[in-house]
Amino acid sequence: MSVVVDGLEGLRVPEELSARVPAEQRGPGRGRDDVRLLVSRGEAVSHHAWRAPPGVRWVGALRGVTPYRTRPVSGCARPAPPPGGEPVVVHFSTRGDDGRWAVELRSPEPSGSTRPRAGGPAGAVVRLPGGGRLALAGPLTPGSGRLWWARAYGDVPGLLGRYGRPIRYGYTERDQPLSAYQTVFARPSPDGGGSAEMPSAGRPFTAGLVAELAARGVWIAPLSLHTGVASAEAHEPPYPERFEVPAATAALVNAARATGGRVIAVGTTVVRALESAAVAGPVGAGASARAGRGWTDLVVTPARGVRVVDGLLTGLHEPEASHLLMLEAVAGRAALRSAYAAAVRDRYLWHEFGDVHLLLPEEKGHRVRCGSNSG
């Protein structure tokens, strides 16, 4: 699937707008909630500090979040047999139902980040630290050679716990501790799994803000989508991922919609999970959430639309990223064009340690009161 969003294909994001370190490392006294919030509804945009969000009728809203921890999934390895050639870095993306792992092989950079490399070939063996090894089977998706299924020999979670580190991309300044990639919602997965990359839209939330939202009548409902390796360089559609929408969360979603509230997804992963479990039906015409679990290959596009999500809190994505099709499905093309032009003009920061963007559809009776701190 090619990714073309009208009006964004020519947008250039200056390199200096990449967030190179977490917000709390950008100066004395700063916290992870020291980011900016861009709010867009239709073609109207407004600018806010995350600590002083605008009044957007949060009362009665429901926010879906992805609760599981980010895992240290990046580790150095070498092709076998000895001497094994050049070192590679293995990103462990997702564990399949048959026990195999979807992995991405990358080449290390002197800076500590990595660069893309070809996957495979089928049958190749990669030696892991601590005596483990991987046997590559075939591409995860036919026609795409970046992620491969591999049979792991050895205790992969144990190896990653001892030798792994978080995935780091070239725009970041230095390695970060695993704690920098966890959100306030993070908790251990019952099966020892979790996300390969941080569900970064939830990063600015603090325990204090969660308590304040609860006092305003905002419900926060958990669901899980085990976020795999992102596609920042390849601009590919998202890969299949495991998800679970609990029955209690589906009930909260339906109750919010039935009482005139709104459902705001915290992150594109939440949209994908909720929409994968939505009851099939006409867009916006009585669709409802339901409990569900399994694997999803859903790609949310403007043509498909969204059925149960009313708004989306997310980061700022590369102009060619497939996630932008989902953003357009939620808020419309005009909103997306206007918001991204404003984000570049007003020097918002991109990527997982950057600023956040709240997209709300243009609808009667819902107004953003710019500058209000009352919620």
Side-chain angles (χ1 to χ4, degrees):
M1 180 184 70
S2 61
V3 178
V4 179
V5 179
D6 232 10
L8 289 189
E9 66 274 9
L11 181 71
R12 190 183 73 85
V13 179
E15 187 177 344
E16 63 268 21
L17 295 187
S18 293
R20 303 194 182 282
V21 296
E24 60 270 25
Q25 297 179 19
R26 294 179 200 144
R30 294 180 65 99
R32 62 167 53 205
D33 56 350
D34 276 306
V35 297
R36 299 170 69 194
L37 170 66
L38 177 69
V39 178
S40 61
R41 189 195 301 282
E43 296 185 67
V45 298
S46 55
H47 308 276
H48 312 270
W50 174 255
R51 285 182 171 179
V56 287
R57 293 186 61 187
W58 292 126
V59 175
L62 177 141
R63 287 186 170 196
V65 298
T66 302
Y68 292 140
R69 290 178 179 169
T70 306
R71 297 176 288 119
V73 299
S74 178
C76 290
R78 283 184 182 272
E86 295 297 322
V88 296
V89 174
V90 180
H91 290 171
F92 288 81
S93 182
T94 308
R95 188 172 187 175
D97 294 334
D98 62 358
R100 295 184 303 172
W101 286 85
V103 300
E104 178 190 26
L105 302 184
R106 295 177 68 89
S107 296
E109 292 275 29
S111 65
S113 64
T114 62
R115 65 180 185 275
R117 75 182 296 278
V125 175
V126 176
R127 294 185 291 121
L128 302 173
R133 59 192 175 93
L134 290 173
L136 301 178
L140 179 64
T141 302
S144 176
R146 191 170 66 90
L147 286 184
W148 281 64
W149 283 118
R151 180 70 62 184
Y153 299 91
D155 175 17
V156 171
L159 290 174
L160 291 174
R162 290 194 297 274
Y163 303 105
R165 62 187 181 108
I167 290 175
R168 177 188 163 197
Y169 290 108
Y171 49 77
T172 57
E173 185 175 291
R174 56 181 176 268
D175 285 350
Q176 296 291 339
L178 186 59
S179 59
Y181 294 89
Q182 309 296 0
T183 73
V184 71
F185 308 107
R187 59 185 176 86
S189 172
D191 63 1
S195 291
E197 299 202 31
M198 172 176 58
S200 55
R203 192 179 194 278
F205 285 84
T206 62
L209 177 57
V210 172
E212 181 183 347
L213 289 172
R216 295 185 190 182
V218 177
W219 307 337
I220 296 179
L223 49 78
S224 65
L225 188 141
H226 295 269
T227 309
V229 171
S231 53
E233 295 91 351
H235 309 305
E236 300 160 317
Y239 283 84
E241 294 168 307
R242 283 195 296 135
F243 78 97
E244 180 179 3
V245 177
T249 294
L252 282 174
V253 168
N254 294 331
R257 292 174 62 83
T259 56
R262 67 169 89 240
V263 177
I264 297 173
V266 180
T268 56
T269 56
V270 172
V271 177
R272 197 179 194 200
L274 276 178
E275 294 293 323
S276 295
V279 175
V283 176
S288 59
R290 62 180 173 185
R293 63 185 303 174
W295 287 79
T296 178
D297 58 2
L298 175 66
V299 179
V300 178
T301 66
R304 189 265 185 193
V306 289
R307 292 178 167 84
V308 297
V309 171
D310 302 307
L312 170 62
L313 180 74
T314 185
L316 292 160
H317 305 278
E318 293 286 358
E320 300 87 2
S322 60
H323 288 313
L324 292 176
L325 295 174
M326 179 187 293
L327 273 60
E328 184 180 336
V330 171
R333 179 173 296 173
L336 195 56
R337 283 161 85 190
S338 179
Y340 270 64
V344 171
R345 183 179 63 247
D346 288 274
R347 304 190 67 75
Y348 279 71
L349 295 181
W350 257 252
H351 303 305
E352 66 268 28
F353 297 134
D355 296 315
V356 285
H357 180 198
L358 175 62
L359 298 102
L360 297 168
E362 190 171 18
E363 40 184 301
K364 294 180 180 180
H366 286 180
R367 298 171 50 213
V368 176
R369 300 189 300 277
C370 300
S372 169
N373 296 334
S374 64

